[in-house]
Amino acid sequence: MATQNKSTIPKPTRRLEKYDASVVESGWYEWWESQGFFAPRTASVAGSSKSSSDDNKTAVSKFTMLTPPPNVTGYLHIGHALTASIQDSIIRWRRMRGESVSWVPGMDHAGISTQTVVEKKLMRETKLTRHDLGRAAFIEQIWDWKELHGDRITGQLRRLGASMDWDQSFFTLDDTRSQAVKSAFIQLFKDGLVYRDTRLVNWCCALETVISDIEVDYEDVSGRTMLNVPGRLKKVEFGVLHDFAYKIEGEESQELVVSTTRIETMLGDEAVAIHPDDSRYTHLHGKYVIHPISGRRLPIVCDPELVDMNFGTGVVKVTPAHDPNDYACGRRHNLPIINILEKDGTFNANCGSKSYENMNRFDARDKIIEELKSLGAYRGKNEKHNMRLAKCSRSGDVIEPMVMPQWYIKCDGMAQRALKDAENGELVFHPDSAIKDWNRWLENIQDWCISRQLWWGHRIPAYKPVFESSGRIELAKAFGPDLGDGPWFVSDSKEEAASQIQQLMEQKGLKHLKFDVVQDEDVLDTWFSSGLLPLSALGWTGPSSGQLSARYPTNLIETGTDIMFFWVARMVMLCSHLSGQVPFKDIMFHAMVRDAQGRKMSKSVGNVIDPTHVIEGISLKDLKATLEGGNLAQKEVKRSQAAMEKDFPNGIKASGADALRFTLVSATQHTRQINLDLSNVTSAQHFANKLWNLSNFSHTRFDDAKFSTTVGADTAIAQGLAAKRSGDISLVERYVMSRLADTVSKVNQGMLDLEPSVATDMVRKFVIQDLCDVYVEFCKPTLFSTQADALKKESMLMVLQTCLDASLRMLHPFMPFVTEELWQRMLPASTSQSESIMNSAFPADAEFASWRDETADKDMEIALSVIQASRSLRQSHQVPMSRPLPFTLWTSDRSLLDPEGALQQSHSHLIHFTRAEGSLQWIDGSEAILGSAHEQAMSPSTAAVHVISPQLKLFTPLSALQSSPEDSSSVLSSTPSKADVAKQQQEVKRLTKKLGTVRGDLEKLQARLVRPEYLERVPENVRVFDAKRQQELLAQEEHILLALKTMHN
């Protein structure tokens, strides 16, 4: 889609008091796109909005990434939203770092899925099949359907805020991609990697096409089980082992009993196999059996590979055309390999009995059993047999092995290169554990069957001559057994193929034969065209297209683990072979999204979530209506709607794109699956609301103090603070800037390491805990005071501006809409209308590194722990914050009491937040004399204590914890009530239990610390953590013991 003219879309301008995602997220995407912000920029200077094609003159760092093209078949689900959210966070971060970013979007034609959807629609609406329409008319119907539904997917991506370079968008069946696919197939054929062969394939009768090995799913069946099979009203029986007998030719009294779970395939038996060393059957070597239904004479073959003489009767039926193991046996013994089934799963004339011709394979089961019984050949069944059922991952149909000619790609050589590229670091996996699966699959790779019996897709550029019957005979004599179903000619056009055929006919002395040229009816596997995308999406149309794009190889591919082999491995193999370079360096995998109960999302289960429903909300009634008119059977629709009523009784609440994106990215820790609980999206929405309130608070304070903001895309975030760094700056300012520096560093490192969840966790923690809960609260007394020093206020507001600006920029890759809305409010009135947070500089480590202050971090941690201790004392003794308490701090660490120490620097704040009565008192524990008044005052019999650490304790007199006389409603009587006694007993019980837990943890830790190998084997950072943990546990133990002593007194 072309970028709109910059003048047509105005920048959104509004002033909202309350956060409303539906309003905040409107208008921005259209404005970004109209400004050309999604196109690659020409300058590496952050803040520049210039963009153009790749032929720019300024040297910039390029970053190119493809999005996994969603299928054109319908709409995006929450898994697609996860992919888009992760990728957009990376893209926006890279863009804000000044890189020339191109995120290439596209859509996949999805051969099997799309053809199936349109076929079902055609049957539902017109009662016609595709064969009734014909190939050309049916394909036209699919193109019409694609045009009608394709925009829905791009609309969803836009609503999510995906900043894709839409001018570069592709469709895998467009002209450029089609030429690339044709050229690649021809080149691979010339290189000897594409070949045609007749062999056993995985056939899906429901779709009437072959599928590759990795498109086959397996289901374990334990004993007799009834399962649904597509296209059948009744369930089909599996897990039952049937026995029947073959009579020995000429010896009616002798028989061989065989067992099978697929008794219908006995119509295609070509032999019976025994083990050559099985003494029970030595006398039958070289003899024959008689087929009980067809009467055909079948050889008894000796095959030690197929037969386990200790299993069952030690006799195996051999159906070479419909079983992988039997096929191998048939090749070893030169048995006839005859297909007895049509493509739809009905029996053909080769089945040996007119009674079964045109009958479905599963319908034939019962009839064959009845006939065998009537012939006296049925020997019973075992209903407790365990079996593994092969099923089509696309349709759910039971796979039918069939022998037929197909096109294949030799994969072993390309796989070896892909293995080496991973080993030598040309390919880097995130997480690195993925390389194990990569190696396992590539080391055991099979040749890839790439032809599909479909109409929708890239038609295979292979042609063959068609002769009259007499001409075919002459051709067979000239070519011999290698003829197969050919000869085939891979060419760019029918005319070129005809020329090649004519030349060959002349070489073979057959130029007198007349022939027609026909193209192969089959199309290529969709994954073949997808495997070329790193090349074709950037304009490559084949080896003859000239130099590769300047953006090849791309930088990163990010996708789900489920298509590691379907797509990622095949891109690496195909593109590396055709270009000589790996298509990307970094490969990032995310986990699969499941529902809150951990179930796989499925339309039939009713738990598939459309991201726009989470963003905009939807009622239960409308949610249920989304299942109507689709491809689900009415029975499945009812079941799915019932599940929806249970999972979403009130529908789905509108949460906005920002909240959904933030939730999804935050859930991407390296796990196998993500259980999406929509309550987490609500929590993210609350976070966005907190950000909104922080912005409102900041602007109110800016306005009150007449503070002019200095924010701009080209302006340093911490502008004006450099002079403050060495001047008079408070502990809380030093602290929040130190935390900001640490956050900036960890956010950038998380993004560099392709761990965006680290970035979201860090920035959320900074905003909520460090900025809102600490800095803003510590600043309020000064900012609200009319007596406070103006310079001090200005300093605090400058730090607040810096932290808010940096927070918005760090959050922008994850929450683009609300951050743009709030950042625009920070811009001075004179700012250019084209200014956007999208093109502002992302906070850089270098700008904030000098603000790292371990002393400030430690001092503030101490101050906060004192405040927390005071609240803990209040809570345990039920004293409200409205009532001041006389607090005393005891410390054996004299540095805390120094003028520049933690307690002295935060003295006024400690008084304020602890609600200390009068002033907060200190006791220098390093000089305290045993038996002094201080010691007596701290006695458990007279004071309540909270042990912050062994070196720091907070006390308050027990007498002060009693309610004041003025509060008559809560005056404690001299004699405790029964309720008070019971409550105290319960608290003693709780503390005693907690003491046991603390002591248990302490014993385990101390046992680990004293091991001889501890210092040698344990990393330093872990030893530091253990030491800190030991101090915390000791402090907890002392605190609990003092609390228990107080209660006993």
Side-chain angles (χ1 to χ4, degrees), residues 67-89:
T67 183
N71 292 348
V72 72
T73 45
Y75 60 90
L76 302 183
H77 53 66
I78 209 72
H80 295 110
L82 171 64
T83 301
S85 299
I86 294 171
Q87 293 186 354
D88 196 36
S89 70

Short mmCIF file of all heavy atoms in Angstrom, two decimals, residues 67-89:
data_model
loop_
_atom_site.label_atom_id
_atom_site.label_comp_id
_atom_site.label_asym_id
_atom_site.label_seq_id
_atom_site.Cartn_x
_atom_site.Cartn_y
_atom_site.Cartn_z
N THR A 67 8.69 -10.20 8.09
CA THR A 67 7.71 -10.77 9.00
C THR A 67 7.26 -12.11 8.43
O THR A 67 7.15 -12.26 7.20
CB THR A 67 6.49 -9.84 9.15
OG1 THR A 67 5.59 -10.40 10.10
CG2 THR A 67 5.75 -9.68 7.83
N PRO A 68 7.08 -13.13 9.26
CA PRO A 68 6.51 -14.38 8.73
C PRO A 68 5.16 -14.06 8.10
O PRO A 68 4.26 -13.58 8.78
CB PRO A 68 6.35 -15.25 9.98
CG PRO A 68 7.29 -14.68 10.98
CD PRO A 68 7.33 -13.20 10.71
N PRO A 69 5.01 -14.28 6.79
CA PRO A 69 3.77 -13.84 6.14
C PRO A 69 2.56 -14.65 6.61
O PRO A 69 2.56 -15.88 6.51
CB PRO A 69 4.05 -14.10 4.65
CG PRO A 69 5.11 -15.14 4.64
CD PRO A 69 5.94 -14.92 5.86
N PRO A 70 1.57 -13.99 7.16
CA PRO A 70 0.37 -14.73 7.59
C PRO A 70 -0.39 -15.27 6.39
O PRO A 70 -0.30 -14.73 5.28
CB PRO A 70 -0.45 -13.66 8.33
CG PRO A 70 0.01 -12.36 7.78
CD PRO A 70 1.46 -12.55 7.43
N ASN A 71 -1.11 -16.35 6.60
CA ASN A 71 -1.92 -16.94 5.54
C ASN A 71 -3.05 -16.01 5.16
O ASN A 71 -3.68 -15.39 6.04
CB ASN A 71 -2.49 -18.29 5.97
CG ASN A 71 -1.40 -19.33 6.14
OD1 ASN A 71 -0.27 -19.13 5.73
ND2 ASN A 71 -1.75 -20.45 6.74
N VAL A 72 -3.36 -15.96 3.90
CA VAL A 72 -4.42 -15.10 3.41
C VAL A 72 -5.80 -15.65 3.76
O VAL A 72 -6.81 -15.02 3.49
CB VAL A 72 -4.28 -14.91 1.87
CG1 VAL A 72 -4.66 -16.18 1.14
CG2 VAL A 72 -5.09 -13.73 1.38
N THR A 73 -5.83 -16.83 4.39
CA THR A 73 -7.09 -17.54 4.60
C THR A 73 -8.06 -16.88 5.56
O THR A 73 -9.22 -17.26 5.59
CB THR A 73 -6.82 -18.96 5.12
OG1 THR A 73 -5.84 -18.89 6.15
CG2 THR A 73 -6.30 -19.85 4.03
N GLY A 74 -7.66 -15.97 6.38
CA GLY A 74 -8.65 -15.44 7.30
C GLY A 74 -8.19 -14.22 8.05
O GLY A 74 -8.05 -13.14 7.50
N TYR A 75 -7.89 -14.40 9.35
CA TYR A 75 -7.54 -13.27 10.19
C TYR A 75 -6.45 -13.69 11.17
O TYR A 75 -6.19 -14.87 11.37
CB TYR A 75 -8.76 -12.76 10.94
CG TYR A 75 -9.40 -13.78 11.85
CD1 TYR A 75 -9.00 -13.92 13.18
CD2 TYR A 75 -10.42 -14.61 11.37
CE1 TYR A 75 -9.57 -14.85 14.01
CE2 TYR A 75 -11.00 -15.56 12.21
CZ TYR A 75 -10.58 -15.67 13.53
OH TYR A 75 -11.15 -16.61 14.35
N LEU A 76 -5.84 -12.70 11.77
CA LEU A 76 -4.76 -12.97 12.71
C LEU A 76 -5.33 -13.43 14.05
O LEU A 76 -6.35 -12.91 14.52
CB LEU A 76 -3.93 -11.71 12.94
CG LEU A 76 -3.28 -11.07 11.71
CD1 LEU A 76 -2.43 -9.88 12.15
CD2 LEU A 76 -2.44 -12.06 10.94
N HIS A 77 -4.65 -14.39 14.67
CA HIS A 77 -4.99 -14.78 16.03
C HIS A 77 -3.93 -14.22 16.97
O HIS A 77 -3.02 -13.51 16.56
CB HIS A 77 -5.15 -16.29 16.15
CG HIS A 77 -3.97 -17.07 15.64
ND1 HIS A 77 -2.72 -17.03 16.24
CD2 HIS A 77 -3.85 -17.92 14.59
CE1 HIS A 77 -1.90 -17.82 15.60
NE2 HIS A 77 -2.54 -18.37 14.58
N ILE A 78 -4.04 -14.58 18.22
CA ILE A 78 -3.17 -13.96 19.23
C ILE A 78 -1.71 -14.36 19.03
O ILE A 78 -0.80 -13.62 19.42
CB ILE A 78 -3.67 -14.33 20.64
CG1 ILE A 78 -3.31 -13.22 21.64
CG2 ILE A 78 -3.16 -15.68 21.09
CD1 ILE A 78 -4.14 -11.97 21.48
N GLY A 79 -1.46 -15.51 18.41
CA GLY A 79 -0.09 -15.91 18.11
C GLY A 79 0.56 -14.97 17.11
O GLY A 79 1.74 -14.62 17.24
N HIS A 80 -0.21 -14.54 16.10
CA HIS A 80 0.31 -13.55 15.15
C HIS A 80 0.58 -12.22 15.86
O HIS A 80 1.54 -11.52 15.57
CB HIS A 80 -0.70 -13.31 14.02
CG HIS A 80 -0.95 -14.50 13.15
ND1 HIS A 80 -2.13 -15.20 13.16
CD2 HIS A 80 -0.16 -15.12 12.24
CE1 HIS A 80 -2.05 -16.19 12.30
NE2 HIS A 80 -0.88 -16.16 11.73
N ALA A 81 -0.32 -11.88 16.81
CA ALA A 81 -0.14 -10.63 17.55
C ALA A 81 1.15 -10.67 18.37
O ALA A 81 1.84 -9.66 18.50
CB ALA A 81 -1.34 -10.38 18.47
N LEU A 82 1.47 -11.83 18.92
CA LEU A 82 2.73 -11.98 19.66
C LEU A 82 3.92 -11.73 18.74
O LEU A 82 4.84 -10.97 19.08
CB LEU A 82 2.82 -13.39 20.26
CG LEU A 82 4.17 -13.78 20.87
CD1 LEU A 82 4.49 -12.89 22.08
CD2 LEU A 82 4.18 -15.25 21.27
N THR A 83 3.90 -12.35 17.57
CA THR A 83 4.99 -12.17 16.61
C THR A 83 5.13 -10.70 16.22
O THR A 83 6.23 -10.14 16.22
CB THR A 83 4.74 -13.01 15.34
OG1 THR A 83 4.64 -14.39 15.72
CG2 THR A 83 5.85 -12.84 14.34
N ALA A 84 4.01 -10.07 15.89
CA ALA A 84 4.04 -8.67 15.48
C ALA A 84 4.53 -7.76 16.61
O ALA A 84 5.28 -6.81 16.38
CB ALA A 84 2.66 -8.22 15.01
N SER A 85 4.12 -8.06 17.84
CA SER A 85 4.51 -7.22 18.98
C SER A 85 6.01 -7.32 19.25
O SER A 85 6.67 -6.31 19.50
CB SER A 85 3.72 -7.64 20.23
OG SER A 85 2.33 -7.47 20.03
N ILE A 86 6.54 -8.54 19.21
CA ILE A 86 7.97 -8.73 19.43
C ILE A 86 8.77 -8.02 18.34
O ILE A 86 9.71 -7.27 18.60
CB ILE A 86 8.33 -10.22 19.46
CG1 ILE A 86 7.69 -10.91 20.67
CG2 ILE A 86 9.85 -10.42 19.48
CD1 ILE A 86 7.82 -12.41 20.64
N GLN A 87 8.37 -8.28 17.09
CA GLN A 87 9.12 -7.72 15.97
C GLN A 87 9.05 -6.20 15.94
O GLN A 87 10.04 -5.52 15.68
CB GLN A 87 8.61 -8.33 14.67
CG GLN A 87 8.90 -9.81 14.54
CD GLN A 87 8.51 -10.37 13.18
OE1 GLN A 87 7.92 -9.68 12.36
NE2 GLN A 87 8.83 -11.62 12.95
N ASP A 88 7.87 -5.66 16.22
CA ASP A 88 7.74 -4.19 16.18
C ASP A 88 8.56 -3.55 17.30
O ASP A 88 9.10 -2.46 17.12
CB ASP A 88 6.27 -3.79 16.30
CG ASP A 88 6.04 -2.35 15.88
OD1 ASP A 88 6.71 -1.88 14.93
OD2 ASP A 88 5.19 -1.67 16.49
N SER A 89 8.65 -4.22 18.44
CA SER A 89 9.47 -3.66 19.52
C SER A 89 10.94 -3.58 19.09
O SER A 89 11.62 -2.59 19.36
CB SER A 89 9.33 -4.49 20.80
OG SER A 89 9.95 -5.76 20.67
#
